[in-house]
Amino acid sequence: MADIGIDLGTATVLVYDSVKGLLIKEPSVVAIDAGSGEVLKVGEEAFKMIGRTPDRIRALYPLKDGVISDFDQTEQMLRFFLKKASEGTLSKPRVCICVPSGITGVESRACVNAAVSAGARKVYLIEEPVAAALGAGLDLAVPRGRFILDMGGGTTDIAVLSLNGIVCKKSIKLAGRKLDDAIVRAVRQKFNVLIGEKMAERVKIEIGSVHYDTEKEMEVKGRNLHTGLPQKFTLRTGDIYDALMEEIMQIVTAVQQILEITPPELAADILEDGLIMTGGGAQLDGLDRLISEHAKIGVRLAERPEECVAIGTALSFSKLDELYDGFVTPSTHTH
């Protein structure tokens, strides 16, 4: 193995090889011993522990809003995934990591250092909208406006691309995890019941909608805050609709703001081709219709939206000389 792309997401880590395809897709969770700080489990095994650990073990996400919040744990997590991805090979891989387009110099250096410490031979960083567009199969070399929205777990990145470069972009720290938090708050306010992170995510996927025509429902379990006892009840789409809409309208507004500053010629291309959405968060029911109605353009979900960024990150190695914009100063990231 020589080249691998890593979508280092707030909620999920995807490792993609341009030849072998998707190698790893696991939650970006680390379980540590609270006393010694030793990493006990990583990924899927650690995710199962969330909300179920004794005091001496903590299961947590080392990334917040798309960037590293705990360097040591991120390094350990990357080391684990790189080792798993390169089993049976002796050479260290070249690694391209996807980062939010609003990342700072300090945050980008932390990403690079973590990957190098974890065993990467050479590290590049690529901005999420560029990787998402490549993964969605768009040709960025042509003089035509491409409008992309990538909504992951921690950030939503929106950009207009043309001629291998970013024309205008916006990154907001609102995505899948914030929607889960909104659901937890809505359930607590309406039913006086506290539900966990995992349950909130299930609710979002199964009955969450921002443009719903039919009322869906599901059985939800949590803890009654009045009695302190476990409780089971039925939750409906309408119960969480307002909470989701309040968050999602910030993304709709960001899309409109980008369109307002897009050059007229590229705006004409976007009117023809529309907006392409990628990322796990973009699969929220009704999001495409809501954006389409407010922005007055066509909106479609890319094929395999969750994997687009990882695919594009791996494909970017063949475009290193072409993409003069979107790579975060790659010259400083060679080791």
Side-chain angles (χ1 to χ4, degrees):
M1 175 185 298
D3 301 332
I4 60 173
I6 299 177
D7 177 7
L8 195 60
T10 307
T12 312
V13 172
L14 288 92
V15 180
Y16 200 90
D17 182 308
S18 53
V19 178
K20 296 178 183 176
L22 187 67
L23 301 175
I24 294 167
K25 182 181 180 182
E26 292 195 33
S28 42
V29 184
V30 176
I32 62 165
D33 185 306
S36 66
E38 181 193 351
V39 173
L40 305 172
K41 298 284 182 185
V42 175
E44 197 65 57
E45 292 295 315
F47 181 70
K48 290 173 187 172
M49 295 181 177
I50 288 181
R52 294 188 166 98
T53 59
D55 288 346
R56 64 181 181 81
I57 298 173
R58 285 189 301 144
L60 37 85
Y61 292 88
L63 291 110
K64 192 174 189 296
D65 298 333
V67 293
I68 293 172
S69 60
D70 190 301
F71 180 82
D72 292 333
Q73 286 161 24
T74 303
E75 183 197 321
Q76 296 265 29
M77 185 173 72
L78 272 173
R79 190 185 300 279
F80 173 83
F81 287 132
L82 280 176
K83 187 179 176 185
K84 192 172 177 180
S86 53
E87 275 177 343
T89 59
L90 295 173
S91 60
K92 287 184 174 182
R94 280 199 310 174
V95 172
C96 185
I97 298 176
C98 187
V99 292
S101 55
I103 195 168
T104 65
V106 172
E107 289 163 346
S108 63
R109 278 194 294 278
C111 263
V112 173
N113 293 338
V116 172
S117 302
R121 170 166 55 97
K122 206 170 189 180
V123 184
Y124 296 92
L125 301 184
I126 185 172
E127 294 187 27
E128 266 170 27
V130 180
L134 287 172
L138 299 181
D139 181 3
L140 302 183
V142 294
R144 188 168 184 84
R146 309 292 196 186
F147 197 18
I148 196 98
L149 180 150
D150 178 66
M151 183 178 173
T155 58
T156 297
D157 287 82
I158 307 156
V160 174
L161 310 162
S162 178
L163 284 170
N164 288 325
I166 297 172
V167 179
C168 42
K169 64 183 179 181
K170 193 174 181 72
S171 180
I172 54 175
K173 291 183 175 180
L174 189 156
R177 296 288 295 284
K178 287 273 170 70
L179 299 184
D180 297 344
D181 293 343
I183 290 169
V184 171
R185 287 196 303 272
V187 171
R188 187 172 59 214
Q189 286 166 6
K190 188 158 189 172
F191 298 95
N192 204 30
V193 173
L194 183 64
I195 60 171
E197 282 177 46
K198 288 185 184 175
M199 182 59 74
E201 187 179 19
R202 268 190 56 210
V203 167
K204 177 184 69 182
I205 294 166
E206 291 184 30
I207 65 168
S209 178
V210 287
H211 198 292
Y212 77 103
D213 307 308
T214 55
E215 187 91 315
K216 297 180 199 164
E217 57 180 52
M218 69 178 282
E219 193 177 81
V220 174
K221 297 166 189 168
R223 175 165 56 84
N224 188 300
L225 292 170
H226 181 65
T227 64
L229 301 173
Q231 183 176 331
K232 191 162 65 172
F233 63 101
T234 300
L235 190 66
R236 294 177 174 82
T237 303
D239 296 328
I240 57 170
Y241 175 76
D242 289 340
L244 290 177
M245 278 297 285
E246 191 180 329
E247 302 289 344
I248 287 296
M249 284 311 294
Q250 295 178 52
I251 292 173
V252 174
T253 302
V255 169
Q256 291 171 313
Q257 288 170 345
I258 286 290
L259 286 171
E260 284 167 12
I261 59 171
T262 300
E265 295 296 339
L266 297 180
D269 295 337
I270 290 166
L271 193 61
E272 275 185 45
D273 299 346
L275 170 71
I276 293 159
M277 298 198 303
T278 65
Q283 296 176 89
L284 179 67
D285 183 61
L287 181 59
D288 51 351
R289 285 175 288 164
L290 185 74
I291 293 175
S292 183
E293 284 173 11
H294 282 81
K296 309 293 186 228
I297 55 170
V299 179
R300 67 180 174 88
L301 196 63
E303 281 183 48
R304 296 157 71 192
E306 283 183 75
E307 295 174 20
C308 275
V309 169
I311 293 168
T313 306
L315 290 176
S316 65
F317 285 103
S318 61
K319 312 260 184 193
L320 285 176
D321 300 329
E322 299 169 33
L323 289 167
Y324 59 84
D325 197 0
F327 276 101
V328 185
T329 51
S331 58
T332 63
H333 297 325
T334 51
H335 299 265

